[in-house]
Amino acid sequence: MKKRIGTVMCLSGILLLIQPDFKSDEVAMMLNYIVVHYWPIGLIVAGAFMMNQKQKPRRNKN
């Protein structure tokens, strides 16, 4: 939970540093551009997350 909140706070801080007086329409257009042109990055991130995911140790039922 703390990791997710930290991620949201970091992303919002970066957005506010880049452009503190942004409008929601401009942000929507920018996100649309990024999704359309750079969607393979999502596959890379998802693959890296899946490879680095830690497995929980299994307990033996003996």
Side-chain angles (χ1 to χ4, degrees), residues 9 18 21 25 40-41:
M9 290 177 67
I18 292 173
D21 57 336
D25 294 340
I41 292 174

Side-chain angles (χ1 to χ4, degrees), residues 3-4 13 16 21 26 29 33 42 46 52 56 61-62:
K3 187 175 181 179
R4 290 180 184 163
L16 289 172
D21 57 336
E26 293 175 5
M29 287 182 2
Y33 177 82
N52 290 332
K56 295 181 181 178
K61 294 185 179 182
N62 295 341

Side-chain angles (χ1 to χ4, degrees), residues 16-49:
L16 289 172
L17 279 175
I18 292 173
Q19 194 173 13
D21 57 336
F22 64 90
K23 296 179 183 175
S24 60
D25 294 340
E26 293 175 5
V27 172
M29 287 182 2
M30 180 180 66
L31 289 176
N32 187 26
Y33 177 82
I34 290 171
V35 168
V36 169
H37 289 92
Y38 299 108
W39 64 268
I41 292 174
L43 294 176
I44 294 169
V45 171
F49 177 75

